């Protein structure tokens, strides 16, 4: 069972080989989203507090001066699985598309 635990941001460890980049503008956008809607998407970590997914959210939390962030521990992943998940978590959303007609309706609404 997955449990959300609030961890001190100073205890979270970014993955040194994270190949996903976050521009200052994008981090600011994530920070604005957190400020508006709350921290609705936890940072995924390993048993040592290493970030598996959520580096942008972590950076946004730091920008906002948050001392804690919601986390979910994925303790059962092997090192190979962690590395594969880091890539998959970043790549899979890029494979999605948009229904531009529905998007237009949503924006106009």
């Amino acid at each position: 069972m997955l449990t959300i635990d609030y961890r001190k941001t100073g205890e979270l460890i970014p993955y040194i080989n994270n190949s996903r980049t976050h521009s200052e503008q994008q981090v600011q956008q994530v920070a604005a989203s957190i400020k508006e809607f709350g921290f609705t998407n936890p940072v995924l970590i390993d048993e040592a507090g290493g970030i598996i997914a959520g580096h942008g959210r972590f950076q946004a939390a730091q920008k906002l001066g948050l001392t804690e962030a919601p986390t979910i521990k994925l303790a059962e992943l092997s090192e190979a699985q962690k590395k594969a998940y880091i890539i998959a978590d970043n790549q899979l959303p890029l494979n999605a598309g948009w229904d531009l007609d529905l998007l237009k309706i949503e924006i106009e609404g």
Side-chain angles (χ1 to χ4, degrees), residues 29-81:
Q29 291 169 340
V30 175
S33 176
I34 291 171
K35 195 172 181 182
E36 176 71 21
F37 307 112
F39 214 128
T40 61
N41 193 357
V43 177
L44 305 181
I45 61 171
D46 64 18
E47 54 282 342
I51 299 173
I52 296 172
H55 287 83
R57 295 185 297 277
F58 168 72
Q59 289 175 302
Q62 289 181 310
K63 178 175 253 338
L64 291 170
L66 301 179
T67 58
E68 292 186 325
T71 65
I72 294 176
K73 190 184 314 179
L74 303 179
E76 302 300 320
L77 298 180
S78 69
E79 287 301 313
Q81 286 176 316

